[in-house]
Amino acid sequence: MKNNAEKPNSVNDYWTRRKNLIYYRYVEMIVRGVANQAGSIIDIGSSNTSCVEWFDWIPIKHALDKRTPYSSNYVTGIKEDFLNFEPQQKYDLAICLQVLEHVPKAGAFARKLFNIADSVLISVPYKWPEGDCKYHIHDPVDEEKLEKWTDRSPDYSVVVQEPLIVSPKGERLIAYYNNPVKKFALKEARRHISM
């Protein structure tokens, strides 16, 4: 009998095919820069992907997914519909990577991220053509659509192009929203990346 990692189209296969994408390196560097003092992080819509493990300095790590939340000795998995999720206290950072394009109520989902965390990092496929991915219900997504969903402008954003991909499906938009009561400085964030 084959294990999950060998089954085609399994969640593990999904992560195996994607874990080396360049946009994840950007996510990792941004989190290192902006959340170097974070005590808690939650990955919303984790779909059994282990990227939250990269942030080993953050003591409280959770991953939420309504079907297959990631969990390990270091990460608490939470199997729940995010729109029904009520944490006991706010997280320092919520990450939501490549999820909003799948969610029917993307605006309500995006705005709830700000209710459960002081700071938020979101990634979405950037201007992928409508209908090119059968699992996406909101393509194309751009800065304007993301701003409409979140009701705010990001403090920092970047469009990341995957190398050696000549396709409209090679770009992702990453947007970071800082805790509104704290000053955000790019120079300070960059300093923490190099530490």
Side-chain angles (χ1 to χ4, degrees):
M1 182 173 161
K2 292 182 177 183
N3 66 27
N4 258 1
E6 296 169 347
K7 290 180 185 173
N9 301 321
S10 74
V11 173
N12 289 338
D13 186 47
Y14 171 89
W15 181 233
T16 300
R17 288 182 283 124
R18 288 166 175 75
K19 67 183 177 184
N20 292 319
L21 291 173
I22 292 299
Y23 93 90
Y24 282 122
R25 303 291 74 82
Y26 277 77
V27 165
E28 183 179 11
M29 286 191 300
I30 292 167
V31 171
R32 286 188 182 283
V34 301
N36 63 301
Q37 299 292 319
S40 60
I41 185 171
I42 185 165
D43 182 1
I44 302 297
S46 66
S47 191
N48 205 28
T49 60
S50 61
C51 63
V52 73
E53 293 274 9
W54 299 333
F55 315 122
D56 56 358
W57 71 93
I58 302 177
I60 298 171
K61 293 184 277 297
H62 293 169
L64 182 145
D65 193 90
K66 69 180 183 179
R67 290 185 197 92
T68 53
Y70 177 78
S71 66
S72 72
N73 291 336
Y74 308 102
V75 179
T76 301
I78 302 167
K79 187 174 183 177
E80 188 170 345
D81 184 319
F82 177 59
L83 291 175
N84 297 327
F85 178 58
E86 296 298 333
Q88 292 181 352
Q89 59 188 23
K90 273 189 144 181
Y91 293 88
D92 292 322
L93 178 66
I95 60 174
C96 185
L97 310 176
Q98 305 300 117
V99 174
L100 293 176
E101 66 275 11
H102 300 277
V103 178
K105 296 179 180 176
F109 196 100
R111 288 186 295 276
K112 181 157 184 173
L113 292 167
F114 299 95
N115 294 335
I116 64 128
D118 292 329
S119 300
V120 175
L121 184 72
I122 296 171
S123 76
V124 290
Y126 185 64
K127 296 184 179 180
W128 289 20
E130 183 178 355
D132 252 23
C133 181
K134 66 181 179 180
Y135 303 109
H136 294 184
I137 59 176
H138 296 293
D139 287 340
V141 181
D142 59 11
E143 295 91 346
E144 185 178 330
K145 189 176 279 187
L146 185 58
E147 189 169 328
K148 182 179 176 186
W149 288 341
T150 60
D151 269 344
R152 59 189 76 197
S153 297
D155 293 283
Y156 174 76
S157 65
V158 62
V159 174
V160 177
Q161 169 70 51
E162 292 296 326
L164 305 175
I165 294 178
V166 183
S167 162
K169 293 175 22 175
E171 293 182 322
R172 287 171 179 83
L173 171 63
I174 302 171
Y176 172 70
Y177 306 83
N178 196 55
N179 182 338
V181 299
K182 292 186 178 176
K183 183 181 176 194
F184 177 64
L186 283 172
K187 185 176 182 180
E188 182 71 10
R190 281 193 304 270
R191 187 176 69 78
H192 292 295
I193 292 172
S194 62
M195 295 177 105

